[in-house]
Amino acid sequence: MAMTAPIIPLLFLTTSGTAEVADSANLRNPLDEVVVTATRTPKTLKDVPVITRVIGSEELAHGDPTDIQELLTEELPGIEFGYAMSQETALQMGGFGGNAVLFLVDGERLSGETMDNVDYSRLDLTNASRVEIVKGAASALYGANAVGGVVNIISKHDSSPWSVDIDNRYRTLGDEYRTSGSVNFNAGKVYSSTGLQFVRSSRVQLTTPFDTKSVIHDIYGGNALNIKERLIYSPTDGLELTLRGGYFDRKSERITYDDRFHDYNGGLKCDWNPNADSHAELSYSYDQYDKKRYIGGQATNLHDYSDRQHIVRGLYSHAFGVNTLTAGADYMYDHLRSYQFAESEGHLQHSADMFVQFDWSPISKLNIVGSLRDDWYSASHHNAVTARLAVMTKLKPLTLRAGYSGGFRAPTLKEMFMEFDMAGIRMIYGNPDLKPERSHNLNLSLERNGLVTHGGWMAGSYSMTVSGQMNFYDSRITTEEIDSPEIGLPALR
């Protein structure tokens, strides 16, 4: 699976506008919302030098999406989900495939994949406060797969003593039924959030408008169960411990077989603020995603798959007045066992990285953020250095943002070690000598913000943005025909 392609420039232009109306006594400006994904440190949306889209709690409540796939389809222009092999969902965003977009939950990576990314059914939005989207390369902060962008789901932290939410939805298409609920408890030093979602759908047969008896495509039904718990304990001011765990189960019902998907995940995080200028974070996460095929109700070993990850992450930031230095490091243990490997064997990869970022404001109207990161992968014996430079200047009522960011995607274990017979049609071989994909992103945006007045009173606020970005992609990992006469089948590598 190796081919070095020429540099391909891709240009995308987007325009967007948001508006909010409120009474003068309770005016809320969404630009004052604090976000973390673009710089990995808290910053209000209006002060982030990197182009960031936020889908807030009000939009989540209004759209009432089942999962991240449904939300992004409705809210984000330029994104497309479609069915690929085995009817698993494939993603296209801004010219990039799903393997170039990194999905996170509270900044943590997820294991497993169904086609070219994670299982989107896992990413339900029960107890989500917002979704932060950074378009363009973000590898200088997040490493591999953050080539085309980052999507980060941020969990809700309810300030009320307790709350219970129950939500039910029925859709006639596919006879789909969804029920979800959450219980949140806040006792000051202890906070608990429990969420549950169950979705059930039936098979849908798509026909042409001219012949309702002629089936052109089947959309298979099934069910999915998602349970998660987050427990936060604050023993002292400035110290917060978070313990989380989750379980996911999905069944995809086919005509002659069923595919079952399971995930078990958990983690522990410590946030420490020793003073007003310093913040330290240390976390450990575990995630295991499994697949298995059932025929006649009996488990088989035809499509066994198991991806297990252990991740340790550290982050430290210190403010020097209005300037902030941030440094961090990550280590990941990734073990994959797949039916697409020879003898369904397993392969192991260790990866480690270090990064540093400096947030500099030489004057009040100018902000410059520079980042540098180095990632190393044991299986391919390669490292990747990426950088980012973002500049923002405010010339009221206009805000100008411009930047460069580098991206890379390390070859996956499947791309390096696959040895798979595609139903006797052809063989697919991996290539252990693959090098990381590379990308370079240039972006520019112009934003205008203001207040809406009526009769001398403030009635709301608005934000209008025009943005464009250009991506240069080099060394794409793809497939090519190879000669393999010894097996008597056409072959790809």
Side-chain angles (χ1 to χ4, degrees):
M1 289 188 178
M3 181 180 293
T4 300
I7 294 178
I8 304 174
L10 302 172
L11 176 64
F12 305 96
L13 293 174
T14 62
T15 60
S16 62
T18 61
E20 180 165 310
V21 178
D23 59 65
S24 58
N26 189 30
L27 182 65
R28 184 184 70 85
N29 189 348
L31 297 175
D32 291 328
E33 186 169 14
V34 175
V35 296
V36 295
T37 305
T39 59
R40 291 189 78 159
T41 54
K43 217 173 178 69
T44 59
L45 184 59
K46 65 184 178 183
D47 294 326
V48 174
V50 180
I51 302 172
T52 305
R53 167 72 193 279
V54 177
I55 303 176
S57 56
E58 294 183 0
E59 292 170 284
L60 292 175
H62 178 73
D64 193 26
T66 295
D67 53 32
I68 193 67
Q69 176 182 338
E70 188 175 318
L71 172 71
L72 297 181
T73 302
E74 294 176 354
E75 297 288 344
L76 197 63
I79 195 167
E80 178 182 342
F81 290 89
Y83 289 120
M85 295 177 60
S86 299
Q87 259 199 36
E88 300 303 339
T89 307
L91 165 69
Q92 289 287 329
M93 187 174 87
F96 292 98
N99 57 16
V101 181
L102 179 63
F103 283 80
L104 305 170
V105 177
D106 292 324
E108 301 289 352
R109 285 177 174 264
L110 292 84
S111 69
E113 48 83 29
T114 55
M115 182 58 194
D116 58 2
N117 209 314
V118 297
D119 189 338
Y120 303 110
S121 302
R122 289 182 57 191
L123 301 176
D124 75 299
L125 300 168
T126 306
N127 267 355
S129 66
R130 65 185 187 276
V131 177
E132 300 178 4
I133 303 161
V134 178
K135 285 191 174 182
S139 292
L141 286 185
Y142 292 99
N145 299 84
V147 178
V150 177
V151 179
N152 193 6
I153 301 174
I154 308 298
S155 299
K156 184 187 302 182
H157 194 140
D158 201 329
S159 59
S160 58
W162 63 273
S163 64
V164 178
D165 295 308
I166 299 176
D167 179 53
N168 293 283
R169 188 181 79 176
Y170 175 76
R171 184 162 56 185
T172 55
L173 179 64
D175 194 28
E176 182 187 272
Y177 172 75
R178 185 198 74 197
T179 182
S180 57
S182 64
V183 178
N184 303 297
F185 175 77
N186 194 338
K189 291 187 176 183
V190 178
Y191 175 80
S192 172
S193 176
T194 306
L196 181 147
Q197 183 184 82
F198 177 78
V199 182
R200 170 69 192 172
S201 62
S202 300
R203 177 184 174 196
V204 176
Q205 294 183 310
L206 301 182
T207 61
T208 69
F210 310 104
D211 183 4
T212 57
K213 295 183 179 180
S214 177
V215 178
I216 59 175
H217 191 63
D218 273 321
I219 299 177
Y220 298 112
N223 55 59
L225 173 66
N226 214 331
I227 304 172
K228 50 192 175 183
E229 166 66 24
R230 191 163 54 99
L231 182 64
I232 301 176
Y233 175 54
S234 303
T236 62
D237 290 340
L239 181 62
E240 184 176 273
L241 303 174
T242 302
L243 179 66
R244 62 174 179 85
Y247 170 74
F248 170 77
D249 175 80
R250 177 166 71 93
K251 180 169 71 170
S252 180
E253 298 172 343
R254 311 305 172 92
I255 297 175
T256 58
Y257 63 88
D258 295 336
D259 279 340
R260 295 289 298 268
F261 309 84
H262 295 91
D263 182 83
Y264 312 87
N265 63 84
L268 177 63
K269 183 173 72 170
C270 174
D271 287 285
W272 183 42
N273 297 283
N275 53 59
D277 297 326
S278 300
H279 171 74
E281 179 181 313
L282 181 63
S283 68
Y284 162 76
S285 65
Y286 171 81
D287 199 358
Q288 179 172 331
Y289 182 83
D290 301 329
K291 302 180 192 177
K292 186 172 283 292
R293 177 158 294 179
Y294 287 75
I295 298 178
Q298 299 296 318
T300 71
N301 61 357
L302 297 176
H303 277 243
D304 281 4
Y305 172 104
S306 181
D307 186 21
R308 185 171 70 253
Q309 291 181 354
H310 299 268
I311 301 176
V312 178
R313 178 163 57 89
L315 180 74
Y316 177 77
S317 63
H318 185 82
F320 303 89
V322 295
N323 306 314
T324 303
L325 177 66
T326 303
D330 304 85
Y331 164 77
M332 182 171 72
Y333 167 102
D334 186 9
H335 182 270
L336 176 62
R337 180 175 55 83
S338 173
Y339 63 95
Q340 294 181 332
F341 294 151
E343 306 298 330
S344 297
E345 61 187 352
H347 288 278
L348 174 65
Q349 177 155 261
H350 303 273
S351 62
D353 67 78
M354 295 185 296
F355 67 90
V356 63
Q357 173 181 272
F358 190 61
D359 188 330
W360 181 43
S361 297
I363 59 176
S364 60
K365 296 182 180 179
L366 178 64
N367 182 223
I368 303 172
V369 176
S371 311
L372 186 66
R373 179 183 179 114
D374 186 17
D375 287 80
W376 173 79
Y377 288 81
S378 65
S380 59
H381 303 288
H382 282 104
N383 75 306
V385 177
T386 48
R388 182 174 72 176
L389 181 66
V391 179
M392 179 182 68
T393 180
K394 294 184 178 181
L395 304 171
K396 289 187 176 180
L398 300 177
T399 299
L400 176 67
R401 293 178 174 88
Y404 159 82
S405 54
F408 84 97
R409 186 179 74 83
T412 66
L413 291 170
K414 282 175 58 176
E415 290 168 333
M416 288 188 290
F417 302 113
M418 182 184 295
E419 187 174 325
F420 180 52
D421 182 350
M422 264 186 88
I425 300 173
R426 68 173 67 239
M427 289 292 297
I428 302 179
Y429 294 101
N431 183 354
D433 298 322
L434 288 174
K435 297 180 180 180
E437 294 181 347
R438 298 284 186 168
S439 75
H440 303 277
N441 175 271
L442 300 173
N443 58 79
L444 180 68
S445 76
L446 188 64
E447 179 182 286
R448 181 186 173 98
N449 304 309
L451 297 175
V452 179
T453 60
H454 179 72
W457 295 88
M458 290 186 297
S461 61
Y462 70 88
S463 175
M464 300 181 63
T465 303
V466 177
S467 64
Q469 59 175 309
M470 180 175 288
N471 293 299
F472 296 88
Y473 219 139
D474 192 16
S475 299
R476 295 289 296 269
I477 296 175
T478 183
T479 57
E480 61 182 356
E481 296 279 352
I482 62 172
D483 294 327
S484 185
E486 67 275 8
I487 60 173
L489 291 175
L492 292 176
R493 181 169 183 164

